Amino acid sequence: RTGVEAIYEKYLRGQYGETVYEVDALGRSQVVLTQTEPIAGEHIKLTIDSEMQKKLEGSLARFLKARGVTKGAAIALNPKNGEILALVSLPTFDNNDFSGGISVPKYNSYAQNEDKPLFNRAVSGAYPSGSTIKPAIAAAALSEGVINKNTTILSTGGISIPPWFFPDWLAGGHGRVNVRASLAWSVNTFYYYIGGGYKNFEGLGIDKIIKYLKMFGFGKHLGVDLPAENAGFLPGREWKEAVKKENWYIGDTYNVSIGQGDVLATPLQI
């Protein structure tokens, strides 16, 4: 009904056999007319590493407990080919409860739980990406020649476009930083500049940002072989004008550049 089993059911199940009999008036079999042998289902080998899965689940559970929170997701990928080695969404449920039919009280205990244990946050949950999106923005700026590896930008605590102020997370800023330092310290000002531009510095602009984020897999389905994958969301001019009935402002571009505003991503996309 869900998970890998739902996606691969048609391969795993195989095909039923069939025997057609000729029967008499009392329904008793007389002659076999046709017979089709059943075909066994295919085997499937997952990329999940069971030991890594157990370790990651335990690690995430301890992390959440230490911080007094109850919900989270964690994923481990092979960076060479994208294989999913471990995928955890907490809180979770026991598959065995559904084997042979689940009782109404047990199902209600899952369905009515405010932490939604039946919801796979790893692939179906969409959340603000925050600064995890910055490497993609940096790559876009490097690819478009907005910056090179030696370009530096002065961070003094944020930038001002009256009456708005767009801050760094560190009061007073990080000083002069290049792209490596901007990633190491997650310097907002650097991404305001390369994303939306500032004064005489020309940034990527929202259209190029969206183009590159889609190349990185944001704002679209990745095609994971699990049901109910969320595509996340990337805001843009047309969407804001149509849905919010507002113009797109430079501040919107700044927000997207640091993964804030209306940007949504799944843990899998991250």
Side-chain angles (χ1 to χ4, degrees):
R1 293 181 181 275
T2 188
V4 172
E5 292 89 342
I7 298 296
Y8 291 103
E9 169 71 8
K10 62 182 179 181
Y11 303 105
L12 295 170
R13 177 173 291 281
Q15 297 179 26
Y16 291 115
E18 181 182 71
T19 302
V20 178
Y21 297 94
E22 180 182 299
V23 298
D24 62 17
L26 298 177
R28 294 174 296 197
S29 300
Q30 301 295 306
V31 180
V32 174
L33 299 178
T34 61
Q35 189 167 18
T36 304
E37 293 297 320
I39 299 176
E42 299 291 335
H43 296 287
I44 185 170
K45 182 178 181 181
L46 305 182
T47 60
I48 292 290
D49 181 315
S50 62
E51 288 302 313
M52 190 180 296
Q53 177 76 18
K54 293 175 185 176
K55 289 284 188 181
L56 187 59
E57 186 166 344
S59 177
L60 179 61
R62 290 190 297 273
F63 181 92
L64 298 179
K65 183 178 180 180
R67 285 154 182 79
V69 293
T70 56
K71 298 173 287 188
I75 302 169
L77 300 179
N78 181 339
K80 295 181 179 179
N81 55 21
E83 288 180 347
I84 297 175
L85 304 177
L87 185 147
V88 178
S89 176
L90 293 180
T92 188
F93 60 93
D94 187 347
N95 283 330
N96 294 315
D97 290 337
F98 289 84
S99 179
I102 188 170
S103 69
V104 172
K106 188 64 179 179
Y107 179 77
N108 287 339
S109 72
Y110 285 136
Q112 296 171 8
N113 186 327
E114 291 183 355
D115 289 336
K116 298 182 179 179
L118 299 178
F119 181 63
N120 187 345
R121 291 171 172 79
V123 299
S124 300
Y127 313 99
S129 68
S131 294
T132 57
I133 211 169
K134 287 176 179 174
I137 303 294
L142 288 165
S143 296
E144 288 291 321
V146 171
I147 57 170
N148 59 47
K149 66 179 182 179
N150 298 314
T151 301
T152 60
I153 291 172
L154 181 62
S155 162
T156 58
I159 60 175
S160 178
I161 300 182
W164 297 283
F165 182 73
F166 301 89
D168 272 314
W169 61 265
L170 180 65
H174 303 264
R176 188 163 291 279
V177 295
N178 61 13
V179 65
R180 287 178 179 269
S182 80
L183 289 169
W185 293 99
S186 191
V187 182
N188 286 349
T189 291
F190 192 92
Y191 292 88
Y192 298 146
Y193 269 78
I194 68 173
Y198 187 62
K199 295 183 177 179
N200 295 327
F201 189 98
E202 185 175 351
L204 287 160
I206 189 59
D207 294 335
K208 286 183 179 177
I209 289 175
I210 296 302
K211 169 189 170 183
Y212 276 90
L213 289 179
K214 286 183 176 179
M215 291 168 64
F216 274 90
F218 293 100
K220 63 181 182 180
H221 292 105
L222 300 179
V224 65
D225 45 0
L226 291 170
E229 183 193 358
N230 196 313
F233 182 70
L234 297 175
R237 286 191 182 88
E238 293 181 359
W239 167 81
K240 190 180 181 189
E241 291 171 358
V243 175
K244 292 191 171 184
K245 310 300 181 185
E246 297 175 359
N247 292 326
W248 185 267
Y249 298 108
I250 186 67
D252 296 313
T253 304
Y254 289 158
N255 284 332
V256 172
S257 299
I258 61 170
Q260 299 293 341
D262 295 295
V263 174
L264 296 174
T266 67
L268 183 63
Q269 288 171 335
I270 297 299

